[in-house]
Amino acid sequence: MDLGIAGKTALVAASTGGLGLAVARALAAEGVRVAIVGRRRDRAKEIVEELQAAYGTGSLGATGFDAVAIEADLTTPEGIESAVQQTVADLGPIDILVLNGPGPKPGAAATLSSDDIGAAFDLLVKPHHSLVSHVLPGMRKRRWGRILAIGSSGVTAPLPNLAVSNTGRAALAGYLKTLAAEVALDEVTVNLLLPGRIATDRVAQLDHAAAKRRGTTLEDIQLESRKTIPARRYGEPGEFGAAAAFLCSAPASYITGVALRCDGGLIRSL
């Protein structure tokens, strides 16, 4: 399938690792100009070099593929403004915005403090709202845009011991679902892609924390986790990236306001 997004420009937040990097790679493979944004300047440059070596020449390169490394703290207003301005200056107006960020610390709902509740919004709602606010007017004016948030299956079924994440991600989902209806006439789609157990550093950290908390081994935790997944395995980042690329594509223009799970059947509801 031709995804029809070669030559578009994407800002992928927190894309120096994990699921953000998986999405950036999938978009680059389709000829999208990609801004790799994160706090690790050297890592961002390495990724840009990798992408340019893979896609900067030949048939995709002819469409204008390029990538740029941007060091920015997207939890701050200054970092957000800088990342948007540099992306536009180097690659052109932003057509695709991928919302992503670090997950908050684990913890039980019964022990949440007021600071934890504040952190849920500070980490998972406010920065994404600010990014959207910077990019959305241009999308509406050009009558084409894709906003995709990397969420969590906790949006559908809250996950044990991740109360802060469950709270913040559910709030973000409510905002984005409302926004999707408001901008649909402008040919801008707004969706969420919800990972289950994808083999990233973040999931490895959670597994290590669970093993330590329960006094068992990492292998036992991973085996137990795989047994809860009908596919009986963790997902690969590339699988998640492929789903994201489709939701950002031209053929997906009639899909908006959707929370799609990429979880191997982990969540049992429809």
Side-chain angles (χ1 to χ4, degrees):
M1 179 182 293
D2 180 2
L3 297 190
I5 49 178
K8 298 289 188 183
T9 294
L11 187 160
V12 184
S15 49
T16 55
L19 296 178
L21 176 54
V23 174
R25 283 173 169 156
L27 292 174
E30 296 298 325
V32 175
R33 301 183 180 103
V34 181
I36 303 297
V37 184
R39 301 179 189 182
R40 297 180 289 172
R41 178 194 297 270
D42 291 343
R43 179 59 181 144
K45 288 182 177 179
E46 289 175 0
I47 294 166
V48 166
E49 291 174 0
E50 168 203 319
L51 297 179
Q52 289 178 334
Y55 307 116
T57 59
S59 59
L60 287 178
T63 67
F65 169 79
D66 199 0
V68 63
I70 299 176
E71 180 184 14
D73 181 353
L74 296 181
T75 65
T76 68
E78 298 80 12
I80 289 169
E81 185 171 356
S82 174
V84 170
Q85 289 180 349
Q86 188 173 339
T87 300
V88 173
D90 291 348
L91 301 177
I94 297 169
D95 305 295
I96 299 168
L97 174 63
V98 180
L99 303 174
N100 184 35
K105 65 180 182 180
T111 61
L112 285 182
S113 67
S114 58
D115 288 342
D116 290 330
I117 295 296
F121 282 83
D122 289 343
L123 285 173
L124 299 172
V125 181
K126 289 182 180 179
H128 299 323
H129 169 265
S130 182
L131 276 167
V132 170
S133 297
H134 277 80
V135 172
L136 181 61
M139 291 180 173
R140 300 182 82 173
K141 183 177 181 180
R142 296 189 300 276
R143 297 189 59 77
W144 202 99
R146 300 288 184 266
I147 298 172
L148 178 66
I150 298 176
S152 163
S153 57
V155 170
T156 304
L159 300 171
N161 204 48
L162 289 176
V164 177
S165 177
N166 293 335
T167 300
R169 294 188 194 282
L172 177 64
Y175 159 64
L176 293 175
K177 176 63 175 177
T178 306
L179 179 66
E182 296 173 356
V183 300
L185 279 176
D186 298 312
E187 305 295 336
V188 176
T189 69
V190 184
N191 293 296
L192 294 94
L193 184 57
L194 311 181
R197 306 291 288 176
I198 310 293
T200 63
D201 290 343
R202 165 69 171 167
V203 169
Q205 290 170 0
L206 293 175
D207 285 345
H208 276 289
K212 183 177 180 180
R213 186 174 64 252
R214 293 168 52 182
T216 186
T217 67
L218 175 63
E219 291 73 19
D220 285 343
I221 291 295
Q222 292 175 333
L223 177 60
E224 180 180 307
S225 182
R226 288 195 295 270
K227 288 180 178 178
T228 68
I229 305 170
R232 292 295 188 270
R233 64 178 179 86
Y234 287 9
E236 294 297 327
E239 295 173 311
F240 186 89
F246 175 73
L247 288 175
C248 294
S249 73
S253 59
Y254 202 56
I255 301 174
T256 194
V258 166
L260 175 66
R261 295 194 301 271
C262 181
D263 66 358
L266 175 65
I267 302 301
R268 302 307 172 95
S269 63
L270 291 174

